[in-house]
Amino acid sequence: SYSFCTLLAAQDKKKAPDMAALEDFRDEVVSVVTNDGRHIIGTLKGFDQTINIILEQAHEREYSIEDPVEQIPLELIVIRGDNIATIGLLDAAIDSTQNLAAIRAEPLPAIKI
Protein backbone atom coordinates (compact mmCIF):
# COMPACT_ATOMS: atom_id res chain seq x y z
CA SER A 1 0.00 0.00 0.00
CA TYR A 2 1.10 3.56 -0.64
CA SER A 3 0.50 6.68 1.41
CA PHE A 4 0.63 9.69 -0.88
CA CYS A 5 1.22 13.31 -0.06
CA THR A 6 0.36 15.43 -3.08
CA LEU A 7 2.60 18.44 -3.09
CA LEU A 8 0.38 21.40 -3.71
CA ALA A 9 3.40 23.63 -4.31
CA ALA A 10 4.07 21.80 -7.56
CA GLN A 11 0.48 22.14 -8.72
CA ASP A 12 -0.86 25.36 -7.25
CA LYS A 13 1.57 28.08 -6.23
CA LYS A 14 -1.14 29.81 -4.16
CA LYS A 15 -1.47 26.92 -1.67
CA ALA A 16 1.14 26.04 0.94
CA PRO A 17 2.74 22.58 0.73
CA ASP A 18 1.96 20.14 3.53
CA MET A 19 5.29 20.25 5.40
CA ALA A 20 3.98 18.33 8.43
CA ALA A 21 3.01 15.35 6.27
CA LEU A 22 6.40 15.36 4.60
CA GLU A 23 8.16 15.41 7.99
CA ASP A 24 6.51 12.05 8.73
CA PHE A 25 8.29 10.62 5.66
CA ARG A 26 11.82 11.51 6.86
CA ASP A 27 14.15 8.47 6.94
CA GLU A 28 11.48 6.37 5.20
CA VAL A 29 11.61 4.85 1.72
CA VAL A 30 9.48 6.98 -0.59
CA SER A 31 8.28 6.82 -4.17
CA VAL A 32 8.48 10.14 -6.05
CA VAL A 33 6.81 10.91 -9.36
CA THR A 34 8.16 14.04 -11.00
CA ASN A 35 6.41 16.44 -13.35
CA ASP A 36 8.68 15.30 -16.17
CA GLY A 37 7.55 11.66 -15.81
CA ARG A 38 10.35 10.14 -13.74
CA HIS A 39 9.68 7.56 -11.00
CA ILE A 40 12.36 7.71 -8.32
CA ILE A 41 12.56 5.61 -5.16
CA GLY A 42 14.87 6.34 -2.23
CA THR A 43 15.16 7.19 1.46
CA LEU A 44 14.02 10.74 2.24
CA LYS A 45 16.86 12.38 4.15
CA GLY A 46 15.79 16.00 4.09
CA PHE A 47 13.74 18.79 2.54
CA ASP A 48 13.37 22.55 2.73
CA GLN A 49 10.48 25.03 2.70
CA THR A 50 10.22 24.86 -1.11
CA ILE A 51 10.05 21.04 -0.94
CA ASN A 52 13.42 20.48 -2.57
CA ILE A 53 14.14 16.96 -1.33
CA ILE A 54 17.24 14.84 -0.76
CA LEU A 55 16.98 11.10 -1.39
CA GLU A 56 19.66 8.60 -0.38
CA GLN A 57 20.13 5.08 -1.81
CA ALA A 58 17.91 6.16 -4.70
CA HIS A 59 17.13 4.54 -8.01
CA GLU A 60 14.95 5.45 -10.95
CA ARG A 61 12.51 3.02 -12.51
CA GLU A 62 12.15 3.37 -16.26
CA TYR A 63 9.11 1.80 -17.87
CA SER A 64 8.77 0.42 -21.39
CA ILE A 65 6.20 -1.56 -23.35
CA GLU A 66 8.90 -3.72 -24.97
CA ASP A 67 11.38 -4.17 -22.10
CA PRO A 68 11.17 -4.97 -18.40
CA VAL A 69 11.31 -2.19 -15.83
CA GLU A 70 14.88 -0.93 -15.64
CA GLN A 71 16.24 0.24 -12.29
CA ILE A 72 18.96 2.87 -12.65
CA PRO A 73 21.05 3.49 -9.51
CA LEU A 74 21.24 7.18 -8.58
CA GLU A 75 22.64 6.88 -5.01
CA LEU A 76 22.19 10.44 -3.66
CA ILE A 77 19.90 12.83 -5.51
CA VAL A 78 18.35 16.25 -4.95
CA ILE A 79 14.96 16.81 -6.60
CA ARG A 80 13.64 20.35 -6.98
CA GLY A 81 10.32 20.90 -5.29
CA ASP A 82 8.77 22.53 -8.34
CA ASN A 83 9.37 19.29 -10.28
CA ILE A 84 7.60 16.97 -7.80
CA ALA A 85 4.07 15.79 -8.57
CA THR A 86 3.64 13.29 -5.70
CA ILE A 87 5.56 11.66 -2.88
CA GLY A 88 4.34 8.52 -1.15
CA LEU A 89 5.64 6.07 1.41
CA LEU A 90 6.66 2.83 -0.27
CA ASP A 91 5.58 -0.42 1.36
CA ALA A 92 8.83 -2.39 1.13
CA ALA A 93 7.12 -5.73 1.81
CA ILE A 94 4.75 -5.32 -1.13
CA ASP A 95 7.40 -3.77 -3.38
CA SER A 96 9.78 -6.70 -2.79
CA THR A 97 7.16 -9.13 -4.12
CA GLN A 98 6.88 -7.31 -7.46
CA ASN A 99 8.53 -9.10 -10.38
CA LEU A 100 9.90 -6.05 -12.22
CA ALA A 101 11.29 -8.29 -14.99
CA ALA A 102 7.73 -9.25 -15.91
CA ILE A 103 6.27 -5.75 -15.83
CA ARG A 104 5.71 -3.90 -19.10
CA ALA A 105 4.16 -0.45 -19.00
CA GLU A 106 3.94 2.81 -20.90
CA PRO A 107 6.56 5.31 -19.76
CA LEU A 108 5.13 7.94 -17.44
CA PRO A 109 4.14 11.04 -19.41
CA ALA A 110 5.20 14.54 -18.40
CA ILE A 111 2.59 16.49 -16.46
CA LYS A 112 1.36 19.64 -18.15
CA ILE A 113 0.62 22.36 -15.62
Side-chain angles (χ1 to χ4, degrees), residues 33-40 60-70 72 103-112:
V33 176
T34 63
N35 293 336
D36 59 356
R38 296 174 72 191
H39 181 204
I40 300 170
E60 180 177 359
R61 290 185 179 168
E62 284 192 354
Y63 299 92
S64 168
I65 291 294
E66 295 85 25
D67 299 314
V69 176
E70 183 179 356
I72 302 165
I103 296 174
R104 306 291 189 274
E106 291 279 342
L108 298 172
I111 296 172
K112 296 178 178 141

Side-chain angles (χ1 to χ4, degrees), residues 1-4 25 29-31 87-98:
S1 75
Y2 294 91
S3 172
F4 281 100
F25 295 175
V29 177
V30 295
S31 172
I87 297 177
L89 291 176
L90 184 70
D91 187 320
I94 292 174
D95 192 58
S96 67
T97 65
Q98 303 303 308

Side-chain angles (χ1 to χ4, degrees), residues 3-77:
S3 172
F4 281 100
C5 170
T6 301
L7 296 178
L8 299 174
Q11 297 177 2
D12 185 346
K13 301 294 183 195
K14 295 177 184 170
K15 295 182 183 176
D18 191 351
M19 300 283 286
L22 197 55
E23 182 62 42
D24 293 341
F25 295 175
R26 189 185 300 267
D27 295 320
E28 299 287 343
V29 177
V30 295
S31 172
V32 178
V33 176
T34 63
N35 293 336
D36 59 356
R38 296 174 72 191
H39 181 204
I40 300 170
I41 295 170
T43 302
L44 180 65
K45 298 311 284 184
F47 60 92
D48 64 13
Q49 68 276 7
T50 60
I51 313 295
N52 296 316
I53 64 170
I54 301 169
L55 297 181
E56 190 174 76
Q57 299 173 340
H59 63 273
E60 180 177 359
R61 290 185 179 168
E62 284 192 354
Y63 299 92
S64 168
I65 291 294
E66 295 85 25
D67 299 314
V69 176
E70 183 179 356
Q71 295 199 96
I72 302 165
L74 302 172
E75 299 306 320
L76 185 69
I77 185 171

